[in-house]
Amino acid sequence: MPRPLITTIRENDDAADFLAWPGDFDLDRGDHVEAVHLASGAALEGFAGDGAGGTYFFCGNGAEERPVLYADSEGGAALVAIGMPELLRLLLVAPWWRDCRAFTAQESAELTTEYLEDMPDLAVRRDRAAAALGLDLPTEAEALARLRKVATEEGKEFVLIFTPENEPYDPLIKG
């Protein structure tokens, strides 16, 4: 059985540091700020979060191969990956994914430029983290296209509900 990626992140500084920033992904922030559930009734397990109060959830039963839903603190949610490897590839290649609106190569290039101004060694750090995690990386365009497909097609069945009011979260990524 392969070693869980969550364990690898916790034990590897290169991976943990890159995922913390610029990935804005923290395994110690798995509690969501409000009571939520999936409309389908499937299991929902918060396992990580970001600095703005967003939460990453595993959906359903199983291990790291489960679909991953992201919910922000403003009432938006989207399925962002099918399994932990896909999520980590997205965070490594396009840690700015939350700022993408059009998912175009031009938009991604502009965001990349902004990040590189603050972090000129971004690619080196990303590659070290990917090696530590044993992941091959897609291009930015491939990762963002996959995100869009997962969110708008496969994600239709993963509707997050704000439990106290029984109201659905808004889609973060629209088709």
Side-chain angles (χ1 to χ4, degrees):
M1 177 176 229
R3 176 186 173 110
L5 287 166
I6 288 175
T7 301
T8 303
I9 293 166
R10 290 193 187 282
E11 295 176 355
N12 185 284
D13 290 341
D14 286 337
D17 290 347
F18 187 91
L19 290 169
W21 191 255
D24 198 11
F25 177 85
D26 184 348
L27 289 170
D28 294 327
R29 293 182 183 216
D31 292 332
H32 197 57
V33 296
E34 12 184 64
V36 293
H37 66 276
L38 286 173
S40 67
L44 191 65
E45 176 190 345
F47 69 93
D50 63 25
T55 308
Y56 291 91
F57 296 94
F58 282 124
C59 301
N61 297 312
E64 293 182 348
E65 78 284 353
R66 293 178 283 173
V68 177
L69 183 133
Y70 172 79
D72 67 18
S73 61
E74 305 297 319
L79 194 69
V80 294
I82 306 299
M84 190 70 166
E86 187 171 271
L87 173 65
L88 294 175
R89 286 182 184 102
L90 173 65
L91 294 173
L92 290 167
V93 172
W96 45 82
W97 70 269
R98 287 176 222 93
D99 296 325
C100 290
R101 295 293 170 243
F103 296 96
T104 64
Q106 179 182 349
E107 178 185 50
S108 186
E110 290 168 4
L111 291 166
T112 301
T113 300
E114 289 177 27
Y115 273 72
L116 286 172
E117 288 172 4
D118 293 332
M119 192 179 301
D121 64 341
L122 180 92
V124 170
R125 291 183 58 228
R126 177 204 60 218
D127 292 348
R128 280 197 316 252
L133 295 166
L135 296 173
D136 293 325
L137 298 178
T139 65
E140 286 174 41
E142 291 167 338
L144 292 172
R146 177 67 181 150
L147 168 62
R148 185 178 187 95
K149 180 178 180 176
V150 167
T152 61
E153 294 175 21
E154 298 169 44
K156 289 180 182 179
E157 297 180 27
F158 295 86
V159 177
L160 190 65
I161 304 294
F162 175 51
T163 302
E165 296 178 10
N166 203 33
E167 288 293 324
Y169 271 49
D170 294 326
L172 276 178
I173 301 168
K174 296 176 176 54

